[in-house]
Structure formats: C-alpha cells, structure tokens
Amino acid sequence: MDPASSSTVSNDFANTLISVLRLPTRERLSCMLNATKVIPSPEKLPRDWRGLCTLLNYIIPSGCDPTDPIGKIFKFCEAKTTIAHFKRCLERIDRYDVVEETEELFISDIIYFKEQCALAKYPTPEVPNDFDINNITIDDINSSKNGLPLTRYDAFLLYDTADTRSAAAVVDKLETDFKLKLCLRERDLRPGVMFEYQSIIKLISDRCNWLIIIVSNDFSNSPWNRFIVNYIQSSAIEKRKPKIIPCVFNDCVLPEELKCYVHLYFNKYNPFCDPWQKLMITVSPSTNLALTDSVKQNNSYQKLKIEKPVNINTTNVDKKKVIKFPSEENKPQPKRKSVFDRLVKNVGNISVKVVPKKWSEKKVKCTSL
C-alpha cells in the first residue's frame, strides 16, 4: 500500500464509526474474540472480549445471554467508537491477528458506506413498494393503491395447457352468463411474483372460495398440478370445508385422489342433470341464485294456489241437494258366524230329521252333542 493510500485509510478509520461495519465483518470479529484466551496481554488484559470491555468501559449486565458478547459490545459502542480506536484496543490486548484478518473487511465496509452516502445526496426516484408478498394478482395492484382489501375470488380455475378450450368455455359461462369472478394463472397472476406455486397455493387457500379442476389425462400427468391438488385437499380436510370441484370434459382416467369427489361430467348427456347449473349453484356465493328451473316452477305453482284457492266449503251449497254417502266406517258389517255355530246348525238340521215322529208331535227337541 502506497503512503497516500495509507494516509487515506488512516483518515477513514479515524473519521468513521464502527456502526458502518456490515454483518460479515461483525460475525468474523465475534468468531475470533468470543473465545476465551488464558494468556493475558503485556498490559495484563484478557486477550478476548473481556479486554475490550475493560478498554471500552462497558460491563455486560448480569443475567444477559453471554453467547455473543462481541455483539453486545457493538450495540453499546457503535455510536461513539471509531474504527481507529477499536483497532488500537485490539492492539493493546495483543490481538494483531484480528487486526490483520479484518483490515480488508474494514476498508470494504467504508467504501460501501461512502457509496451509499453518495446515492443519498442524489436519490433515485422511489419505486412504489407494491411488490408485497400478498399482492399476487393484477387486481391486487389497484386494491393496494386505493387502500382497499385484497381481491377475493369465487373460484380458482386450474387446468393444463392442453385443456385451454375447455377452460375458455368455463370462463365464458361462469363470468359472462353467471357474473362470477374467477382467477386464472395465465390471466390474473401478476408478472414478477416470486415462488409462483407457493403464491398460487396461498391465493387458493386464503382468497378463493373454490378450486375448479378440469380433469384430463394431461392434467394428471403434470406433477405440479397434482401437487397443488394434494396440498389443497389436505388443507380442506384439516379445515373440514369442501374446496375442490372436479369437471370432466373429455374421456380420461380419474386420479386416485379425485375419485372421492362428486364429478361434473360435461361430456355426457343426462336429462336429470345440468352440469352448468349445478356448477353455478355451488360456486355462487349468493343463495338467491341457487334456484333451478324446477324449483322456480314449483314456487310459481304454489303461489298460484295461494292466490286462487279452491272453495270447498259446503255451507253455501243447498242442503237439499247434498247427498250423504255412508262412509266405510259407518256401514253395518255382516255378522260373521264362527265355525262352531255353523257346525251346530248343520248337526241340528240332521238331528231334526232323525227324531221320531212322536217326539216331534210332543215338541221335544233333540239336542245334539
């Protein structure tokens, strides 16, 4: 080092506080000075952090965690101790090895500090810090600028790129016809979001009511799609709240983890099921929309019956014209004879024929049995 550079460094050390030292430099000092040294310095000072405490007039309070005493010394002395004074203290406790090891780090930290000071004199225009970890979609940009809460969605539509046509049909039907708000990865995720799949999982878990899946063989072959499905499925089980709606548009093999769900089949005709209507009723947050045509017709029929009731009161009918039919309960039931009675009658008839004539004249009855 030439004399001019040496004098410049000395001036920098004398005019700069140790507060400018960055974390790598402080960690290096802690690693070298926190270890206890047995042999004292020529001035009879401990050759570790204890000697620095003596020279810097600092006493570590009792009860403090002594794992990093150098870090506590920096917190106490960084606002009033220059680098030059700190370097002289290291030399007095006979730690020239630390001085040689950290001198380049000191110089580098001072240069960095000067650069930051130069930038502070001519600051660059501030870019709004809207790249928050919670600002995941494009709608979140306007919400954060206007002080509004983050956007919530009725459902997140997850699909493979090979099923883009089916996804477009779902978006057109739910957003155009049913006025629902969907979130799509390609359309709504803002550029520059870090940890894309982690952000998608956070978005689905916290701000989407449902996860609509377009099931296909291409979807099942994607490990990332199956990872998202498995994570959301696990979260839904923990919260005991349904979250996933599988939709099938083409013939495919259903994954094992999705076979437990009720699927909506758009590739099969069923006269008793309208999959679009069922999808809308499930996803829609409004209960007023959850009415099928049959329910509406039934309600209208019930309303018609209430508005025009049929008068079945018989008070206005002429009593002379009222014909009363005996009910089934009031009809006299024929008396049923027991087997014994019929047997007695038959035997009695036979006995009468066998009775002698003189007995019949005397009106003597022959009792059978």
Side-chain angles (χ1 to χ4, degrees), residues 139 144 147 155 162 180 247 278 300 350:
D139 295 331
S144 60
L180 299 176
C247 300
K278 292 182 69 174
S300 61
I350 296 172

Side-chain angles (χ1 to χ4, degrees), residues 274-329:
D274 182 5
W276 292 113
Q277 188 76 7
K278 292 182 69 174
L279 182 61
M280 183 272 295
I281 292 173
T282 305
V283 176
S284 175
S286 176
T287 56
N288 294 330
L289 296 177
L291 292 174
T292 59
D293 295 336
S294 60
V295 175
K296 292 180 180 180
Q297 293 176 2
N298 188 23
N299 290 341
S300 61
Y301 176 70
Q302 294 292 339
K303 185 177 179 181
L304 180 62
K305 288 176 63 178
I306 295 174
E307 292 178 354
K308 298 181 180 182
V310 179
N311 189 2
I312 59 174
N313 190 4
T314 58
T315 54
N316 298 329
V317 182
D318 189 1
K319 293 183 179 181
K320 295 180 180 180
K321 296 183 179 180
V322 175
I323 301 174
K324 294 183 179 180
F325 297 95
S327 61
E328 294 280 338
E329 299 177 355

